[in-house]
Amino acid sequence: MKVAVVGATGMVGQVMLQILTERNFPLTELIPVASEKSVGKKIIYKEKSYNVVSLEDAVKRKPEIALFSAGGETSQEWAPKFAEVGTTVIDNSSAWRMDPTKKLVVPEINASEITEEDLIIANPNCSTIQLVMALQPLHKAYQIDRVIISTYQSITGTGVKAVQQLENEYAGKAGEMAYPYPIHKNAIPHCDVFLDNDYTKEEMKLTNETKKILSDDSIKVAATAVRIPVVGGHSESVNIEFKKAFEVADIRKLLSETDGITLQDNPQVNTYPMPIYAEGKNDVFIGRIRRDFTRDNALNLWIVSDNLRKGAATNAIQIAEYLLENRFKA
């Protein structure tokens, strides 16, 4: 089992290597891949040193699985080249997510849709993954009509440059800016680029990817995405309107019994999800569950998850584990 990690020197790539170790993924050969400027650098995996190789060299080595986290342009160019040699690509960029010929997978929800023909599999957006983890069991039980989301997103979703900007601002130092404004002591309602409809690309990812993953274009989804000076994970305030009546106690029970979800919902003792607790964990944390008293069959809840883990690396490796069990089984 040869596994290539494309973007191995980046933030998500580093977390992928960490999670492969933690979950004891049974690879026999690791192929760390990065841009030309990183070729030859050393990567440590399970106390062993590996040389970073180029994309060309990685394709020649024909890995069974390639975990991509190197940006959309790289994925558009190179994922098909890996697929041509029989490699299954699990891509963390937005390049293939809305391609109707590609599966968009959260394993707990729709891994069973993957077929032998799927050699490029898309990993959803980080904020979408934690959202649909909550929505899917609720939709199945009560039929969602409408969802309104406000996100409070970690700077780690932007990357190393954003982390450096925040650290510079903490220290009072000038430096390269990842954002058009300071992020320290600030909240920027601007994640990704603005589109013609005045929503950002990040906000429309939440709309479009949610419908695709839940296989229901009738769900109405609108989002406002905000970047805040936090490193531990993304948070989301979510308002859901259902077509069917519900009891809040039944919602709590349903979510508490869903794989990959941890309920933290006891406001009487100040128990609720926060990025400081989600960081470094693979679950999606849900709390502040309460009826919206202004609308019939409406609910408010709060969702937090480590965006580098379940929002990216963990989800991709869970897809690889599914492939291992179902496609590469001896």
Side-chain angles (χ1 to χ4, degrees):
M1 175 58 61
K2 287 189 281 189
V3 176
V5 177
V6 180
T9 58
M11 288 189 77
V12 174
Q14 290 289 297
V15 177
M16 282 178 172
L17 294 170
Q18 188 178 340
I19 293 169
L20 287 167
T21 303
E22 289 174 10
R23 296 172 80 92
N24 202 25
F25 191 87
L27 60 85
T28 55
E29 184 181 338
L30 174 69
I31 307 170
V33 189
S35 62
E36 289 295 333
K37 66 182 180 182
S38 295
V39 169
K41 285 185 178 178
K42 302 288 185 184
I43 289 285
I44 303 299
Y45 176 72
K46 289 190 173 181
E47 300 180 349
K48 185 178 174 184
S49 179
Y50 294 82
N51 288 325
V52 172
V53 303
S54 67
L55 283 152
E56 292 94 335
D57 287 344
V59 171
K60 290 173 186 173
R61 289 162 73 170
K62 298 183 180 180
E64 278 75 27
I65 293 172
L67 301 167
F68 264 65
S69 186
E73 289 184 12
T74 300
S75 295
Q76 287 277 8
E77 180 181 357
W78 287 95
K81 294 178 181 179
F82 277 88
E84 281 173 15
V85 299
T87 300
T88 301
V89 173
I90 303 167
D91 180 47
N92 196 52
S93 80
S94 61
W96 306 100
R97 290 176 187 155
M98 297 312 299
D99 185 325
T101 68
K102 304 294 185 289
K103 302 297 192 324
L104 184 63
V105 175
V106 177
E108 293 91 340
I109 297 173
N110 60 348
S112 61
E113 295 177 8
I114 298 170
T115 68
E116 290 286 337
E117 288 71 41
D118 292 316
L119 291 179
I120 299 175
I121 300 166
N123 212 37
N125 186 43
C126 45
S127 52
T128 303
I129 290 173
Q130 66 189 72
L131 176 67
V132 296
M133 284 287 290
L135 294 187
Q136 193 270 342
L138 300 180
H139 185 48
K140 189 175 178 182
Y142 303 107
Q143 289 183 275
I144 294 171
D145 180 49
R146 183 170 183 255
V147 186
I148 306 296
I149 313 112
S150 295
T151 73
Y152 305 73
Q153 295 187 213
S154 165
I155 57 167
T156 57
T158 307
V160 173
K161 187 176 172 183
V163 175
Q164 190 62 57
Q165 178 181 333
L166 180 60
E167 289 176 353
N168 286 342
E169 289 169 2
Y170 276 142
K173 290 163 49 180
E176 194 176 3
M177 301 277 282
Y179 304 115
Y181 298 99
I183 188 64
H184 180 42
K185 296 184 179 180
N186 200 12
I188 304 174
H190 178 182
C191 296
D192 214 319
V193 298
F194 283 100
L195 304 174
D196 290 343
N197 65 357
D198 290 335
Y199 285 80
T200 65
K201 198 172 178 182
E202 180 81 5
E203 290 159 355
M204 294 311 299
K205 287 174 188 176
L206 279 157
T207 295
N208 297 325
E209 293 178 22
T210 296
K211 294 180 179 187
K212 182 172 179 178
I213 295 163
L214 298 182
S215 301
D216 192 339
D217 284 337
S218 73
I219 301 173
K220 297 180 279 290
V221 183
T224 301
V226 183
R227 194 72 65 183
I228 61 171
V230 162
V231 296
H234 292 348
S235 304
E236 296 171 345
S237 173
V238 183
N239 179 271
I240 310 167
E241 291 186 41
F242 298 105
K243 294 178 182 177
K244 296 181 179 179
F246 64 87
E247 295 297 330
V248 172
D250 294 334
I251 297 279
R252 287 195 181 99
K253 184 173 187 294
L254 182 58
L255 292 173
S256 70
E257 293 171 350
T258 300
D259 286 346
I261 288 176
T262 294
L263 213 61
Q264 292 181 323
D265 191 36
N266 190 350
Q268 280 68 41
V269 292
N270 298 335
T271 298
Y272 32 68
M274 292 184 289
I276 199 169
Y277 294 139
E279 186 175 13
K281 300 181 177 71
N282 294 319
D283 269 10
V284 173
F285 298 86
I286 301 178
R288 297 298 319 279
I289 300 169
R290 62 215 187 272
R291 188 178 292 277
D292 177 353
F293 55 80
T294 70
R295 305 279 291 185
D296 292 338
N297 303 330
L299 183 79
N300 290 303
L301 45 75
W302 176 251
I303 306 169
V304 180
S305 188
D306 185 326
N307 56 294
L308 297 180
R309 282 187 167 251
K310 183 55 181 170
T314 302
N315 197 78
I317 289 163
Q318 285 176 311
I319 296 170
E321 290 170 340
Y322 179 87
L323 294 172
L324 200 69
E325 180 63 29
N326 294 276
R327 181 178 295 177
F328 299 113
K329 188 186 288 185

